[in-house]
Amino acid sequence: MKIKTGIGFDVHRLEEGLELWLGGIKVEHVKGCVAHSDGDVLIHAICDALLGAAGLRDIGYHFPDTSDTFKGIDSKILLGRTVGLIREQGFTVSNVDSIVCMQKPKLKGYIEEMRVCLASIIGIDIEDMSVKATTTEQLGFEGREEGVSAYATVLIIKE
Ligand SMILES: [Zn+2]
């Protein structure tokens, strides 16, 4: 049996008047992420963690932001494809843990919906899909509401 871990990190700039997508869910806010895709920073961090665990490089390698194919793409599609790449290598996902760092808005009311959404795409139980949210106590770019960052860690297993 082979057990591997992976880590993922992503950042996007926030700008007024854009939609904010996090963990596959649309969050009501005055700002959204500037990105080539829908800017779902949490999904991007999870994709990078999964790819990293399997030794499959990173999200930019598989889904380049220079390609028109991925312009404005729903990041849930990228996550589904990433999970497909992991499965092709004979791995199944054991669990995912993640953190979103942003000052506003409060994400508490969205967490369960994100977990349900992400768990169904990844093909794991909801208790194996953790999403946490934190502010950075007004410090740094997240604290100044200039951007949002996300971290993810995963465990994948090949029998
Ligand atoms: Zn991203």
Side-chain angles (χ1 to χ4, degrees):
M1 185 158 81
K2 201 164 194 181
I3 302 174
K4 298 176 78 170
T5 78
I7 182 171
F9 173 68
D10 195 31
V11 172
H12 282 273
R13 202 153 49 78
L14 286 169
E15 224 168 65
E16 279 184 20
L18 296 173
E19 290 184 349
L20 179 60
W21 286 88
L22 286 173
I25 304 299
K26 192 178 169 200
V27 174
E28 289 307 321
H29 193 42
V30 291
K31 291 180 178 182
C33 288
V34 179
H36 187 70
S37 65
D38 66 3
D40 194 322
V41 69
L42 176 55
I43 287 189
H44 297 172
I46 293 169
C47 287
D48 254 4
L50 289 166
L51 293 169
L56 293 172
R57 303 187 61 161
D58 59 37
I59 190 169
Y61 176 78
H62 294 279
F63 315 112
D65 64 6
T66 47
S67 163
D68 280 347
T69 316
F70 305 115
K71 197 167 165 35
I73 197 168
D74 182 342
S75 293
K76 293 191 276 294
I77 295 168
L78 303 182
L79 180 57
R81 288 196 198 167
T82 299
V83 172
L85 292 169
I86 302 303
R87 291 206 182 116
E88 273 173 30
Q89 302 292 314
F91 284 99
T92 54
V93 180
S94 174
N95 77 298
V96 178
D97 190 11
S98 64
I99 312 172
V100 181
C101 306
M102 71 188 308
Q103 196 63 39
K104 276 185 199 163
K106 284 264 174 279
L107 297 176
K108 212 169 150 186
Y110 294 97
I111 299 286
E112 284 311 301
E113 215 182 327
M114 289 178 193
R115 291 177 70 201
V116 169
C117 174
L118 295 168
S120 79
I121 299 167
I122 298 168
I124 55 177
D125 294 334
I126 292 160
E127 59 263 35
D128 296 326
M129 179 65 240
S130 159
V131 177
K132 305 192 292 290
T134 184
T135 70
T136 55
E137 298 283 338
Q138 262 121 28
L139 296 169
F141 66 84
E142 299 100 328
R144 290 190 298 270
E145 299 177 53
E146 294 167 0
V148 50
S149 64
Y151 301 80
T153 175
V154 305
L155 201 71
I156 61 172
I157 295 175
K158 196 193 289 201
E159 295 295 340

